[in-house]
Amino acid sequence: AQWAPSADVSETDKEFVVHAELPGVAKEDIKVAVEHGMLTISGERRVEKEDKGRKFHRVETFRGSFSRSFGLPDSVDVDAIFADTKDGV
């Protein structure tokens, strides 16, 4: 299965905001790009080091690469786009 993190997109009279839930993803493993009117957030949630003393009965956390893309309105100032991370969001 491929992982697609949840995202909320909102708008005020001054800006569009995208909150993507990326718990467990290191900041350096996230890429934000804008090309051809699309904002793309991509990266990878890495597999934790193997613990030979642990036996898993259920694993529900997705690992691996992800990518989410969002169309931008023509009115967006591409030069004003920025990204920040806090608590996995």
Side-chain angles (χ1 to χ4, degrees):
Q2 186 159 355
W3 177 47
S6 299
D8 296 332
V9 180
S10 61
E11 176 183 359
T12 69
D13 58 343
K14 296 181 182 180
E15 64 186 0
F16 291 92
V17 178
V18 178
H19 281 136
E21 294 184 5
L22 303 170
V25 180
K27 184 177 181 175
E28 55 272 6
D29 291 334
I30 301 169
K31 179 181 176 186
V32 178
V34 177
E35 295 181 312
H36 309 293
M38 297 293 288
L39 171 72
T40 301
I41 303 169
S42 60
E44 182 177 2
R45 183 186 288 161
R46 300 188 185 278
V47 176
E48 295 178 15
K49 293 180 182 178
E50 186 177 325
D51 186 351
K52 294 183 181 192
R54 187 183 312 184
K55 180 179 177 183
F56 287 93
H57 294 278
R58 180 186 303 260
V59 177
E60 295 183 351
T61 307
F62 288 101
R63 303 284 184 221
S65 299
F66 64 86
S67 181
R68 293 290 312 265
S69 294
F70 306 90
L72 299 174
D74 293 336
S75 61
V76 169
D77 179 2
V78 176
D79 295 327
I81 293 174
F82 69 95
D84 192 10
T85 180
K86 179 181 177 183
D87 300 330
V89 177

Coordinates of all heavy atoms in Angstrom, one line a residue:
A1 N 0.8 -1.2 0.0 CA 0.0 0.0 0.0 C 0.9 1.2 0.0 O 1.9 1.2 0.6 CB -0.9 0.0 1.2
Q2 N 0.4 2.3 -0.7 CA 1.1 3.5 -0.7 C 0.6 4.5 0.3 O -0.6 4.5 0.5 CB 1.1 4.1 -2.1 CG 1.9 5.4 -2.2 CD 2.2 5.7 -3.7 OE1 1.9 4.9 -4.6 NE2 2.9 6.8 -3.9
W3 N 1.4 5.2 0.9 CA 1.1 6.1 2.0 C 0.8 7.5 1.4 O 1.6 8.0 0.6 CB 2.2 6.2 3.0 CG 1.9 7.2 4.1 CD1 0.8 7.3 4.8 CD2 2.8 8.1 4.6 NE1 0.9 8.3 5.8 CE2 2.2 8.8 5.7 CE3 4.1 8.5 4.3 CZ2 2.8 9.8 6.4 CZ3 4.7 9.5 5.1 CH2 4.1 10.1 6.1
A4 N -0.3 8.1 1.7 CA -0.7 9.5 1.4 C -1.1 10.2 2.6 O -2.1 10.0 3.2 CB -1.8 9.5 0.4
P5 N -0.2 11.1 3.2 CA -0.5 11.8 4.4 C -1.7 12.7 4.3 O -2.0 13.2 3.2 CB 0.8 12.6 4.7 CG 1.5 12.6 3.4 CD 1.1 11.5 2.6
S6 N -2.4 12.8 5.4 CA -3.6 13.7 5.4 C -3.2 15.1 5.3 O -2.1 15.5 5.8 CB -4.4 13.5 6.7 OG -4.8 12.2 6.9
A7 N -4.0 15.9 4.7 CA -3.7 17.3 4.5 C -5.0 18.2 4.6 O -6.0 17.7 4.1 CB -3.0 17.6 3.2
D8 N -4.9 19.3 5.2 CA -6.0 20.3 5.3 C -5.6 21.5 4.5 O -4.4 22.0 4.6 CB -6.3 20.7 6.7 CG -6.8 19.6 7.6 OD1 -7.4 18.6 7.0 OD2 -6.6 19.6 8.8
V9 N -6.4 22.0 3.6 CA -6.1 23.2 2.8 C -7.2 24.3 3.2 O -8.4 24.0 3.2 CB -6.2 22.9 1.3 CG1 -5.9 24.2 0.5 CG2 -5.3 21.8 0.9
S10 N -6.7 25.4 3.6 CA -7.6 26.5 4.0 C -7.2 27.8 3.3 O -6.1 27.9 2.7 CB -7.6 26.7 5.5 OG -6.3 27.0 6.0
E11 N -8.0 28.8 3.4 CA -7.8 30.1 2.7 C -8.3 31.2 3.6 O -9.3 31.1 4.2 CB -8.5 30.1 1.4 CG -8.4 31.4 0.7 CD -9.2 31.4 -0.6 OE1 -9.9 30.4 -1.0 OE2 -9.2 32.4 -1.3
T12 N -7.5 32.3 3.7 CA -7.9 33.5 4.3 C -7.9 34.5 3.2 O -7.7 34.3 2.1 CB -7.0 33.9 5.5 OG1 -5.7 34.3 4.9 CG2 -6.8 32.8 6.5
D13 N -8.2 35.8 3.6 CA -8.2 36.8 2.6 C -6.8 37.2 2.2 O -6.6 37.9 1.2 CB -8.9 38.1 3.1 CG -8.4 38.6 4.4 OD1 -7.6 37.9 5.1 OD2 -8.7 39.8 4.7
K14 N -5.8 36.6 2.9 CA -4.4 37.0 2.5 C -3.6 35.8 2.1 O -2.5 36.0 1.5 CB -3.7 37.6 3.8 CG -4.3 38.9 4.2 CD -3.5 39.4 5.4 CE -4.1 40.8 5.8 NZ -3.4 41.3 7.0
E15 N -4.0 34.5 2.4 CA -3.1 33.4 2.1 C -3.9 32.1 2.0 O -5.0 32.0 2.4 CB -2.1 33.3 3.2 CG -2.6 32.9 4.5 CD -1.6 32.9 5.6 OE1 -0.4 33.2 5.4 OE2 -2.0 32.7 6.8
F16 N -3.2 31.1 1.4 CA -3.7 29.7 1.3 C -2.7 29.0 2.3 O -1.5 29.3 2.3 CB -3.5 29.1 0.0 CG -4.5 29.7 -1.0 CD1 -4.2 30.7 -1.8 CD2 -5.8 29.1 -1.2 CE1 -5.1 31.3 -2.8 CE2 -6.7 29.6 -2.1 CZ -6.3 30.7 -2.9
V17 N -3.3 28.1 3.1 CA -2.4 27.3 4.0 C -2.7 25.8 3.8 O -3.8 25.4 3.7 CB -2.8 27.7 5.5 CG1 -2.0 26.9 6.5 CG2 -2.5 29.2 5.7
V18 N -1.6 25.1 3.7 CA -1.7 23.6 3.6 C -1.0 23.0 4.9 O 0.1 23.3 5.1 CB -1.0 23.1 2.4 CG1 -1.1 21.6 2.3 CG2 -1.6 23.7 1.1
H19 N -1.8 22.3 5.7 CA -1.3 21.6 6.8 C -1.3 20.1 6.4 O -2.3 19.5 6.2 CB -2.2 21.7 8.1 CG -2.0 23.0 8.7 ND1 -3.0 23.8 9.2 CD2 -0.9 23.7 9.1 CE1 -2.6 24.9 9.8 NE2 -1.3 24.9 9.7
A20 N -0.1 19.5 6.3 CA 0.1 18.1 6.0 C 0.6 17.4 7.3 O 1.5 17.9 7.9 CB 1.0 17.9 4.9
E21 N -0.1 16.3 7.6 CA 0.3 15.5 8.8 C 1.4 14.6 8.5 O 1.2 13.6 7.7 CB -0.9 14.8 9.4 CG -2.0 15.7 9.9 CD -3.1 15.0 10.6 OE1 -3.1 13.8 10.7 OE2 -4.1 15.7 11.0
L22 N 2.6 14.8 9.0 CA 3.8 14.0 8.7 C 4.5 13.5 9.9 O 5.7 13.7 10.1 CB 4.7 14.8 7.8 CG 4.1 15.4 6.5 CD1 5.1 16.4 5.9 CD2 3.8 14.3 5.6
P23 N 3.8 12.9 10.9 CA 4.4 12.5 12.1 C 5.5 11.4 11.8 O 5.3 10.5 10.9 CB 3.3 11.9 12.9 CG 2.3 11.5 12.0 CD 2.4 12.5 10.8
G24 N 6.6 11.5 12.4 CA 7.7 10.5 12.2 C 8.5 10.8 11.0 O 9.4 10.0 10.7
V25 N 8.3 11.9 10.3 CA 9.1 12.2 9.1 C 10.0 13.3 9.5 O 9.6 14.4 10.0 CB 8.2 12.6 7.9 CG1 9.1 13.0 6.7 CG2 7.2 11.5 7.6
A26 N 11.3 13.1 9.3 CA 12.3 14.1 9.7 C 12.2 15.3 8.7 O 11.9 15.1 7.5 CB 13.7 13.5 9.6
K27 N 12.5 16.5 9.2 CA 12.4 17.7 8.4 C 13.2 17.6 7.1 O 12.8 17.9 6.0 CB 12.8 18.9 9.2 CG 12.7 20.2 8.5 CD 13.0 21.4 9.4 CE 12.9 22.7 8.7 NZ 13.2 23.8 9.6
E28 N 14.4 17.0 7.2 CA 15.3 16.8 6.1 C 14.8 15.8 5.1 O 15.4 15.7 4.0 CB 16.7 16.5 6.5 CG 16.9 15.3 7.4 CD 16.7 15.6 8.9 OE1 16.4 16.7 9.3 OE2 16.9 14.6 9.7
D29 N 13.8 15.0 5.4 CA 13.2 14.0 4.5 C 12.0 14.5 3.8 O 11.3 13.8 3.1 CB 12.9 12.7 5.2 CG 14.1 12.0 5.7 OD1 15.2 12.2 5.0 OD2 14.1 11.3 6.7
I30 N 11.7 15.8 3.9 CA 10.5 16.4 3.3 C 11.0 17.4 2.2 O 11.9 18.2 2.4 CB 9.7 17.2 4.3 CG1 9.2 16.2 5.4 CG2 8.5 17.9 3.6 CD1 8.6 17.0 6.6
K31 N 10.3 17.4 1.0 CA 10.6 18.3 0.0 C 9.3 19.0 -0.4 O 8.3 18.4 -0.6 CB 11.2 17.5 -1.3 CG 11.5 18.4 -2.4 CD 12.0 17.6 -3.6 CE 12.2 18.5 -4.8 NZ 12.6 17.8 -6.0
V32 N 9.4 20.3 -0.6 CA 8.3 21.1 -1.0 C 8.7 21.8 -2.3 O 9.7 22.5 -2.4 CB 7.9 22.2 0.0 CG1 6.7 23.0 -0.5 CG2 7.5 21.5 1.4
A33 N 7.9 21.6 -3.4 CA 8.3 22.2 -4.7 C 7.0 22.8 -5.3 O 5.9 22.3 -5.1 CB 8.8 21.1 -5.6
V34 N 7.2 23.8 -6.1 CA 6.2 24.4 -6.9 C 6.6 24.4 -8.4 O 7.7 25.0 -8.7 CB 5.9 25.9 -6.4 CG1 4.8 26.5 -7.3 CG2 5.5 25.9 -5.0
E35 N 5.8 23.8 -9.2 CA 6.1 23.7 -10.6 C 4.8 23.7 -11.4 O 3.9 22.9 -11.0 CB 6.9 22.5 -11.0 CG 8.3 22.5 -10.4 CD 9.1 21.3 -10.8 OE1 8.6 20.1 -10.7 OE2 10.2 21.4 -11.2
H36 N 4.7 24.5 -12.4 CA 3.6 24.5 -13.3 C 2.2 24.6 -12.6 O 1.3 23.8 -12.9 CB 3.6 23.2 -14.2 CG 4.9 23.0 -14.9 ND1 5.4 23.8 -15.9 CD2 5.9 22.0 -14.7 CE1 6.6 23.4 -16.3 NE2 6.9 22.3 -15.6
G37 N 2.1 25.5 -11.6 CA 0.9 25.7 -10.9 C 0.5 24.6 -9.9 O -0.6 24.6 -9.4
M38 N 1.5 23.7 -9.6 CA 1.2 22.7 -8.6 C 2.2 22.8 -7.4 O 3.4 22.9 -7.6 CB 1.4 21.3 -9.3 CG 0.4 21.0 -10.4 SD -1.3 20.9 -9.8 CE -1.3 19.3 -9.0
L39 N 1.6 22.7 -6.2 CA 2.4 22.6 -5.0 C 2.5 21.1 -4.7 O 1.5 20.4 -4.5 CB 1.8 23.3 -3.8 CG 2.4 23.1 -2.5 CD1 3.7 23.9 -2.4 CD2 1.5 23.6 -1.4
T40 N 3.8 20.6 -4.5 CA 4.0 19.2 -4.2 C 4.8 19.1 -3.0 O 5.8 19.7 -2.8 CB 4.7 18.5 -5.4 OG1 3.9 18.6 -6.6 CG2 4.9 17.0 -5.1
I41 N 4.2 18.3 -2.1 CA 4.9 17.9 -0.8 C 5.3 16.4 -0.9 O 4.4 15.6 -1.1 CB 4.1 18.1 0.4 CG1 3.6 19.6 0.5 CG2 4.8 17.7 1.7 CD1 2.5 19.8 1.5
S42 N 6.6 16.1 -0.9 CA 7.0 14.7 -1.0 C 8.1 14.4 0.0 O 8.6 15.3 0.6 CB 7.5 14.4 -2.4 OG 8.6 15.3 -2.7
G43 N 8.3 13.1 0.2 CA 9.4 12.7 1.1 C 9.3 11.3 1.4 O 8.8 10.5 0.6
E44 N 9.9 10.9 2.6 CA 9.9 9.5 2.9 C 9.9 9.4 4.5 O 10.5 10.1 5.2 CB 11.2 8.9 2.4 CG 11.3 7.4 2.7 CD 12.6 6.8 2.1 OE1 13.3 7.5 1.5 OE2 12.7 5.6 2.3
R45 N 9.0 8.5 4.9 CA 9.0 8.1 6.3 C 9.8 6.8 6.3 O 9.5 5.8 5.8 CB 7.6 7.8 6.9 CG 7.7 7.5 8.4 CD 6.3 7.1 8.9 NE 5.4 8.2 9.0 CZ 4.1 8.0 9.1 NH1 3.6 6.9 9.1 NH2 3.3 9.1 9.2
R46 N 11.0 6.9 7.0 CA 11.9 5.8 7.0 C 11.6 4.7 8.0 O 10.9 4.9 9.0 CB 13.3 6.3 7.3 CG 13.8 7.3 6.3 CD 15.2 7.7 6.5 NE 15.6 8.7 5.6 CZ 16.0 8.6 4.3 NH1 16.0 7.4 3.8 NH2 16.3 9.6 3.6
V47 N 12.0 3.5 7.6 CA 11.8 2.3 8.5 C 12.7 2.4 9.7 O 13.9 2.7 9.5 CB 12.0 1.0 7.7 CG1 11.9 -0.2 8.6 CG2 11.1 0.9 6.5
E48 N 12.2 2.2 10.9 CA 13.0 2.2 12.0 C 14.0 1.1 12.0 O 13.8 0.1 11.4 CB 12.1 2.1 13.3 CG 11.2 3.3 13.5 CD 10.3 3.1 14.7 OE1 10.6 2.2 15.6 OE2 9.3 3.9 14.8
K49 N 15.1 1.3 12.7 CA 16.1 0.2 12.8 C 15.4 -1.1 13.3 O 14.6 -1.0 14.2 CB 17.2 0.6 13.7 CG 18.0 1.8 13.1 CD 19.2 2.1 14.1 CE 19.9 3.3 13.5 NZ 21.0 3.8 14.4
E50 N 15.9 -2.2 12.7 CA 15.3 -3.4 13.1 C 15.7 -3.8 14.6 O 16.8 -3.6 15.0 CB 15.9 -4.5 12.2 CG 15.3 -5.9 12.4 CD 15.8 -6.9 11.4 OE1 16.1 -6.5 10.3 OE2 15.9 -8.1 11.8
D51 N 14.7 -4.2 15.3 CA 14.9 -4.6 16.7 C 14.7 -6.1 16.7 O 13.6 -6.6 16.8 CB 13.9 -3.9 17.6 CG 14.1 -4.2 19.1 OD1 14.9 -5.0 19.4 OD2 13.4 -3.5 19.9
K52 N 15.8 -6.8 16.8 CA 15.7 -8.3 16.7 C 15.1 -8.9 18.0 O 14.6 -10.0 17.9 CB 17.1 -8.9 16.5 CG 17.7 -8.5 15.2 CD 19.0 -9.1 14.9 CE 19.5 -8.6 13.5 NZ 20.6 -9.3 13.0
G53 N 15.0 -8.2 19.1 CA 14.4 -8.7 20.3 C 12.9 -8.4 20.3 O 12.2 -8.8 21.3
R54 N 12.3 -7.8 19.3 CA 10.9 -7.4 19.3 C 10.1 -8.2 18.3 O 10.6 -8.3 17.1 CB 10.8 -5.9 19.1 CG 9.4 -5.4 19.2 CD 9.2 -4.0 18.9 NE 10.2 -3.2 19.5 CZ 10.2 -1.8 19.4 NH1 9.3 -1.2 18.7 NH2 11.1 -1.1 20.0
K55 N 9.0 -8.7 18.7 CA 8.1 -9.4 17.8 C 6.8 -8.6 17.6 O 6.1 -8.4 18.5 CB 7.8 -10.8 18.3 CG 6.9 -11.6 17.5 CD 6.6 -13.0 18.1 CE 5.6 -13.8 17.3 NZ 5.3 -15.0 18.0
F56 N 6.6 -8.1 16.4 CA 5.4 -7.3 16.1 C 4.2 -8.2 15.8 O 4.3 -9.1 15.1 CB 5.7 -6.4 14.9 CG 6.6 -5.2 15.2 CD1 7.9 -5.4 14.9 CD2 6.1 -4.1 15.7 CE1 8.8 -4.3 15.1 CE2 7.0 -3.0 16.0 CZ 8.4 -3.2 15.7
H57 N 3.1 -7.8 16.4 CA 1.8 -8.5 16.2 C 0.9 -7.7 15.2 O 0.1 -8.3 14.6 CB 1.1 -8.7 17.5 CG 1.8 -9.6 18.5 ND1 1.7 -10.9 18.4 CD2 2.7 -9.3 19.5 CE1 2.5 -11.5 19.3 NE2 3.1 -10.5 20.0
R58 N 1.2 -6.4 15.1 CA 0.4 -5.6 14.2 C 1.3 -4.4 13.9 O 1.8 -3.7 14.8 CB -0.9 -5.1 14.8 CG -1.7 -4.3 13.9 CD -3.0 -3.7 14.6 NE -3.8 -4.8 15.1 CZ -4.9 -5.3 14.5 NH1 -5.3 -4.8 13.4 NH2 -5.6 -6.2 15.1
V59 N 1.3 -4.0 12.6 CA 2.0 -2.8 12.2 C 1.0 -2.0 11.3 O 0.7 -2.5 10.2 CB 3.3 -3.1 11.4 CG1 3.9 -1.8 10.9 CG2 4.3 -3.9 12.2
E60 N 0.6 -0.9 11.8 CA -0.4 -0.1 11.1 C 0.2 1.2 10.6 O -0.5 2.0 9.9 CB -1.6 0.2 12.0 CG -2.4 -1.0 12.3 CD -3.6 -0.7 13.1 OE1 -3.8 0.4 13.6 OE2 -4.4 -1.7 13.3
T61 N 1.4 1.5 10.9 CA 2.1 2.7 10.4 C 2.7 2.5 9.1 O 3.6 1.6 8.9 CB 3.2 3.1 11.5 OG1 2.6 3.2 12.7 CG2 3.7 4.5 11.1
F62 N 2.4 3.3 8.1 CA 2.9 3.2 6.8 C 4.4 3.8 6.8 O 4.7 4.8 7.4 CB 2.1 4.0 5.8 CG 0.8 3.3 5.5 CD1 -0.4 3.7 6.1 CD2 0.7 2.2 4.6 CE1 -1.6 3.1 5.8 CE2 -0.5 1.6 4.4 CZ -1.6 2.0 5.0
R63 N 5.2 3.2 6.0 CA 6.6 3.6 5.8 C 6.8 3.7 4.3 O 6.1 3.1 3.5 CB 7.6 2.5 6.4 CG 7.4 2.3 7.8 CD 7.9 3.4 8.7 NE 7.8 3.0 10.1 CZ 7.4 3.9 11.0 NH1 7.1 5.1 10.7 NH2 7.4 3.5 12.3
G64 N 7.8 4.5 4.0 CA 8.2 4.6 2.6 C 7.9 6.0 2.0 O 7.7 7.0 2.8
S65 N 8.0 6.1 0.7 CA 7.9 7.4 0.0 C 6.4 7.9 0.0 O 5.5 7.0 -0.1 CB 8.4 7.3 -1.4 OG 9.8 7.0 -1.3
F66 N 6.2 9.2 -0.1 CA 4.9 9.7 -0.3 C 5.0 11.0 -1.1 O 6.0 11.6 -1.3 CB 4.3 10.1 1.1 CG 5.0 11.2 1.8 CD1 4.7 12.5 1.6 CD2 6.0 10.9 2.7 CE1 5.4 13.5 2.2 CE2 6.7 11.8 3.4 CZ 6.4 13.2 3.2
S67 N 3.9 11.4 -1.7 CA 3.8 12.6 -2.5 C 2.3 13.0 -2.5 O 1.4 12.2 -2.7 CB 4.3 12.4 -3.9 OG 4.2 13.5 -4.7
R68 N 2.1 14.3 -2.3 CA 0.8 15.0 -2.4 C 1.0 16.2 -3.2 O 1.9 17.0 -3.0 CB 0.2 15.4 -1.0 CG -0.1 14.2 0.0 CD -1.3 13.4 -0.5 NE -2.5 14.2 -0.8 CZ -3.5 14.5 0.0 NH1 -3.5 14.1 1.2 NH2 -4.5 15.1 -0.5
S69 N 0.0 16.4 -4.1 CA 0.1 17.6 -5.0 C -1.2 18.4 -4.9 O -2.3 17.8 -4.8 CB 0.4 17.2 -6.4 OG 1.7 16.7 -6.6
F70 N -1.1 19.7 -5.0 CA -2.3 20.6 -4.9 C -2.2 21.6 -6.0 O -1.2 22.3 -6.1 CB -2.3 21.3 -3.5 CG -2.3 20.3 -2.3 CD1 -1.0 19.9 -1.8 CD2 -3.4 19.7 -1.8 CE1 -1.0 19.0 -0.8 CE2 -3.4 18.8 -0.8 CZ -2.1 18.4 -0.3
G71 N -3.3 21.8 -6.7 CA -3.3 22.8 -7.7 C -3.4 24.2 -7.1 O -4.1 24.4 -6.1
L72 N -2.7 25.2 -7.6 CA -2.6 26.5 -7.1 C -3.4 27.4 -8.0 O -3.3 27.3 -9.3 CB -1.2 27.0 -7.0 CG -0.3 26.3 -6.1 CD1 1.1 26.8 -6.2 CD2 -0.8 26.4 -4.6
P73 N -4.2 28.4 -7.5 CA -4.9 29.4 -8.3 C -3.8 30.3 -9.0 O -2.7 30.4 -8.5 CB -5.7 30.2 -7.4 CG -5.6 29.6 -6.0 CD -4.5 28.6 -6.1
D74 N -4.2 30.8 -10.1 CA -3.3 31.7 -10.9 C -2.9 32.9 -10.0 O -1.9 33.5 -10.3 CB -4.0 32.2 -12.2 CG -4.2 31.1 -13.2 OD1 -3.4 30.0 -13.1 OD2 -5.1 31.1 -14.0
S75 N -3.7 33.3 -9.1 CA -3.5 34.5 -8.3 C -2.4 34.3 -7.2 O -1.9 35.3 -6.6 CB -4.7 35.0 -7.6 OG -5.2 33.9 -6.7
V76 N -1.9 33.1 -7.0 CA -0.9 32.8 -6.0 C 0.5 33.4 -6.4 O 0.9 33.3 -7.5 CB -0.7 31.3 -5.7 CG1 0.5 31.0 -4.9 CG2 -2.0 30.8 -5.0
D77 N 1.1 34.1 -5.4 CA 2.4 34.7 -5.6 C 3.5 33.6 -5.3 O 3.7 33.3 -4.1 CB 2.6 35.9 -4.7 CG 4.0 36.5 -4.8 OD1 4.8 36.1 -5.6 OD2 4.3 37.5 -4.1
V78 N 4.0 32.9 -6.3 CA 4.9 31.8 -6.1 C 6.1 32.2 -5.3 O 6.6 31.4 -4.5 CB 5.3 31.2 -7.4 CG1 6.3 30.1 -7.3 CG2 4.1 30.7 -8.2
D79 N 6.6 33.4 -5.4 CA 7.8 33.9 -4.7 C 7.5 34.0 -3.2 O 8.5 34.1 -2.4 CB 8.3 35.2 -5.3 CG 8.8 35.0 -6.7 OD1 9.3 33.9 -7.0 OD2 8.6 36.0 -7.5
A80 N 6.3 34.1 -2.8 CA 5.9 34.3 -1.4 C 5.7 32.9 -0.6 O 5.4 32.9 0.6 CB 4.7 35.2 -1.2
I81 N 5.8 31.8 -1.4 CA 5.5 30.5 -0.8 C 6.6 30.1 0.2 O 7.8 30.3 -0.1 CB 5.3 29.4 -1.8 CG1 4.1 29.7 -2.6 CG2 5.3 28.0 -1.2 CD1 3.9 28.8 -3.8
F82 N 6.3 29.6 1.4 CA 7.3 29.1 2.3 C 6.7 27.9 3.0 O 5.5 27.7 3.0 CB 7.7 30.2 3.3 CG 6.6 30.6 4.3 CD1 6.6 30.0 5.5 CD2 5.6 31.5 4.0 CE1 5.6 30.3 6.5 CE2 4.6 31.8 4.9 CZ 4.6 31.2 6.1
A83 N 7.7 27.2 3.7 CA 7.3 26.0 4.4 C 7.9 26.0 5.8 O 9.0 26.5 6.0 CB 7.7 24.7 3.6
D84 N 7.2 25.4 6.7 CA 7.6 25.3 8.1 C 7.1 24.0 8.7 O 6.2 23.4 8.1 CB 7.1 26.5 8.9 CG 7.8 26.6 10.3 OD1 8.8 26.0 10.5 OD2 7.3 27.4 11.1
T85 N 7.8 23.5 9.7 CA 7.3 22.3 10.3 C 7.3 22.5 11.8 O 8.2 23.1 12.4 CB 8.2 21.1 9.9 OG1 7.7 19.9 10.6 CG2 9.7 21.3 10.3
K86 N 6.3 21.9 12.4 CA 6.2 21.9 13.9 C 5.4 20.7 14.3 O 4.3 20.5 13.9 CB 5.5 23.2 14.4 CG 5.3 23.3 15.9 CD 4.6 24.5 16.3 CE 4.4 24.5 17.8 NZ 3.7 25.7 18.3
D87 N 5.9 19.9 15.2 CA 5.3 18.7 15.7 C 4.7 17.8 14.7 O 3.6 17.2 14.8 CB 4.1 19.1 16.7 CG 4.6 20.0 17.9 OD1 5.8 19.8 18.3 OD2 3.8 20.8 18.3
G88 N 5.5 17.6 13.6 CA 5.0 16.7 12.6 C 4.0 17.2 11.6 O 3.4 16.5 10.8
V89 N 3.7 18.5 11.7 CA 2.7 19.1 10.8 C 3.5 20.2 10.0 O 4.2 21.0 10.5 CB 1.6 19.7 11.5 CG1 0.6 20.4 10.6 CG2 0.8 18.7 12.3

